[in-house]
């Protein structure tokens, strides 16, 4: 399913990040997530996890799902953290800041493991995948 990705801070993400808890299970559960509208969630067959893939298909990440009325159909939300950064287009369009709002992505049900923040760094950035 092609959707527009919106990212931003949540109260819990901010509390955990500012408190130095980025390597906790609580942080992973809050930030390694994709919020999906009930309509889109149902059309994906209500998965526990989804793979979010960048528009160019080069980068993807598996995250937990959260079905919520907080997002409209055709959009998904991910807290701004290492998981969403994997699929955000790094092009800044000469602004110095990537497109955190409205990036086209593909979302599909997934069975793979959701990586911890440390594992994302090791696999995606150190491993170069």
């Amino acid at each position: 399913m092609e959707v527009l990705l919106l990212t931003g801070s949540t109260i819990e993400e901010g509390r955990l990040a500012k408190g130095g808890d980025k390597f906790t299970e609580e942080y992973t559960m809050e930030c390694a997530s994709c919020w999906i509208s009930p309509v889109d969630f149902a059309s994906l067959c209500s998965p526990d996890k989804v793979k979010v893939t960048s528009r160019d298909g080069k980068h993807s990440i598996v995250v937990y799902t959260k079905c919520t009325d907080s997002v409209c159909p055709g959009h998904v939300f991910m807290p701004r953290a290492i998981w969403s950064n994997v699929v955000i287009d790094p092009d800044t369009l000469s602004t110095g800041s990537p497109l955190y709002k409205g990036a086209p992505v593909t979302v599909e049900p997934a069975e793979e493991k959701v990586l911890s923040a440390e594992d994302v760094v090791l696999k995606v950035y150190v491993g170069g995948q």
Side-chain angles (χ1 to χ4, degrees), residues 27-58:
Y27 185 77
T28 299
M29 294 304 295
E30 176 65 23
C31 296
S33 64
C34 182
W35 302 16
I36 304 172
S37 75
V39 170
D40 290 342
F41 189 70
S43 73
L44 290 169
C45 299
S46 307
D48 291 329
K49 298 178 276 188
V50 290
K51 181 192 297 187
V52 181
T53 304
S54 61
R55 175 188 2 204
D56 64 9
K58 292 182 181 178

